Amino acid sequence: MSNALLEVINLKVYFYTLSGVVRAVDDVSLRVLPGEWISIVGESGSGKSTLAYAIAKIVPPPGKIVGGKVGFMNRDLMEFDEEAMRSIRGRHIGFVFQDPLTSLDPLRTVGDQLAEVIQVHLGVSREEAVREAGDLLELVGIPRDRLNYYPHQLSGGQRQRVVIAISIALRPELLIADEPTTALDVIIQDQIMDLLKEVQRKGASIMLITHDVALAAETANRIAVMYAGEIVEHGNTHSIINAPLHPYTVGLVDSVPDLWSKKSVKSIPGFPPDLRNPPPGCRFHPRCRQALGICTNESPPMTAIEHDRYLACWLYLKR
Ligand code: SF4
């Protein structure tokens, strides 16, 4: 028995394309404890969204989960068929996607969509579901008279709030938010983050997928840094942000502008690799200024370097 809510072990997700096999998630392991907030951070194409989809077993074709385990509430989701997964998604694992329009039906009012989720999954009367839908709208900061609005009658920020209302309607233990604020302006972004904090305060675990290190650090208890399909560093937020060790994490943290210091913003040289043919050894080695000889041919193992701090970099490993 594990005390983790979610335990991902050696997960591999590959995409079988005409031009080759893309190793989007390659041997990823991580744990999420009940009530904690974990941010998964990395550049686009690092595999962080694919990891999130794999946890809920919604990887789109031609992607396939080809190895590893996803333990959730002490059950192995890899053994669940599609029907069993439908009872997990929404009820126990909620999802918020970047574009709320892809999650909402444009032809139905938001109240209808919210009430349906509540009625179908909780088996309550229509009247009760509508009342609960109004309560949820108010919880996410939208007046309940908007129940009769269609998605296009709401602003982008309000639509994202509706998606969050739908995703927390069944009080899932884990809410996965995949770049939920990317399409929104900074003020609305703050409001959505406050809303997610409130969801966490009510007891849910949050997994935030983002390319934005500052956003990742804002509220997370822990941060996992992904590069080229692998987690390269993982630990509590304070140590990852204040004392990053992996050269990629250092690059990500240095790329965040700081209004109050004269520190210059540095970008990471080069580009992420083609995951059909990732570099041998450490996948970051073509971009790493500190690369050692061993880095070009041996992959550094993920190693615990202190309590709850994990790192895959030869600079810090005994050979
Ligand atoms: Fe750089 Fe080597 Fe560490 Fe990779 S293992 S990040 S190439 S020093």
Side-chain angles (χ1 to χ4, degrees):
M1 289 282 277
S2 159
N3 62 352
L5 174 69
L6 173 73
E7 184 146 33
V8 175
I9 302 170
N10 304 122
L11 191 66
K12 294 183 180 198
V13 186
Y14 293 176
F15 285 79
Y16 293 86
T17 72
L18 289 176
S19 57
V21 179
V22 179
R23 299 186 216 167
V25 171
D26 217 0
D27 217 6
V28 162
S29 299
L30 63 84
R31 305 169 90 216
V32 180
L33 300 176
E36 85 168 342
W37 180 311
I38 184 168
S39 293
I40 314 284
V41 67
E43 292 164 291
S44 348
S46 58
K48 51 194 192 308
S49 293
T50 304
L51 169 63
Y53 296 163
I55 289 167
K57 292 180 78 175
I58 50 170
V59 177
K64 277 193 184 137
I65 297 173
V66 295
K69 273 178 81 165
V70 176
F72 181 69
M73 298 170 76
N74 283 312
R75 286 173 285 181
D76 181 1
L77 296 189
M78 292 302 110
E79 289 178 359
F80 279 39
D81 61 15
E82 181 50 27
E83 195 187 332
M85 277 310 296
R86 275 201 288 271
S87 67
I88 294 288
R89 291 184 212 116
R91 185 74 187 83
H92 298 287
I93 301 178
F95 243 102
V96 180
F97 296 99
Q98 180 177 337
D99 180 2
L101 280 179
T102 58
S103 309
L104 296 172
D105 183 341
L107 301 177
R108 296 170 63 210
T109 64
V110 295
D112 201 24
Q113 297 181 56
L114 248 175
E116 184 187 54
V117 170
I118 296 163
Q119 198 178 4
V120 167
H121 289 271
L122 299 184
V124 297
S125 68
R126 176 73 188 169
E127 197 184 13
E128 209 173 315
V130 171
R131 192 167 52 244
E132 175 88 359
D135 292 347
L136 274 165
L137 268 198
E138 285 182 344
L139 181 74
V140 299
I142 299 177
R144 65 195 308 132
D145 63 7
R146 307 282 156 90
L147 281 173
N148 296 323
Y149 280 40
Y150 289 87
H152 74 270
Q153 294 175 293
L154 299 172
S155 68
Q158 286 176 323
R159 284 195 290 262
Q160 194 59 297
R161 284 161 185 272
V162 170
V163 171
I164 292 174
I166 291 174
S167 59
I168 62 172
L170 307 177
R171 299 180 191 91
E173 288 80 2
L174 174 66
L175 183 65
I176 299 177
D178 184 13
E179 305 273 11
T181 61
T182 303
L184 305 172
D185 67 46
V186 181
I187 292 170
I188 306 294
Q189 177 173 300
D190 280 349
Q191 293 171 358
I192 296 293
M193 289 298 284
D194 286 344
L195 186 52
L196 292 178
K197 283 178 216 166
E198 185 57 29
V199 173
Q200 185 196 17
R201 261 196 298 275
K202 288 185 184 298
S205 299
I206 307 283
M207 178 183 282
L208 175 70
I209 309 291
T210 180
H211 64 279
D212 183 336
V213 184
L215 198 67
E218 199 178 300
T219 35
N221 304 102
R222 284 189 298 127
I223 291 183
V225 180
M226 271 193 92
Y227 182 76
E230 301 174 329
I231 289 180
V232 296
E233 187 164 8
H234 181 193
N236 73 70
T237 302
H238 185 268
S239 59
I240 296 281
I241 298 300
N242 293 301
L245 294 175
H246 193 284
Y248 179 62
T249 314
V250 173
L252 282 182
V253 172
D254 282 349
S255 67
V256 177
D258 183 346
L259 283 179
W260 309 112
S261 85
K262 297 207 168 73
K263 178 188 93 164
S264 60
V265 174
K266 296 180 200 138
S267 60
I268 303 170
F271 298 97
D274 180 347
L275 291 180
R276 286 170 305 182
N277 190 19
C282 171
R283 291 184 178 180
F284 188 59
H285 86 254
R287 303 173 74 184
C288 182
R289 293 195 179 99
Q290 293 166 273
L292 309 167
I294 190 173
C295 302
T296 57
N297 50 44
E298 268 191 62
S299 182
M302 181 60 86
T303 307
I305 55 160
E306 57 191 57
H307 174 66
D308 201 25
R309 183 88 189 262
Y310 302 87
L311 182 69
C313 174
W314 286 119
L315 289 176
Y316 301 92
L317 301 180
K318 290 195 182 81
R319 278 156 279 147

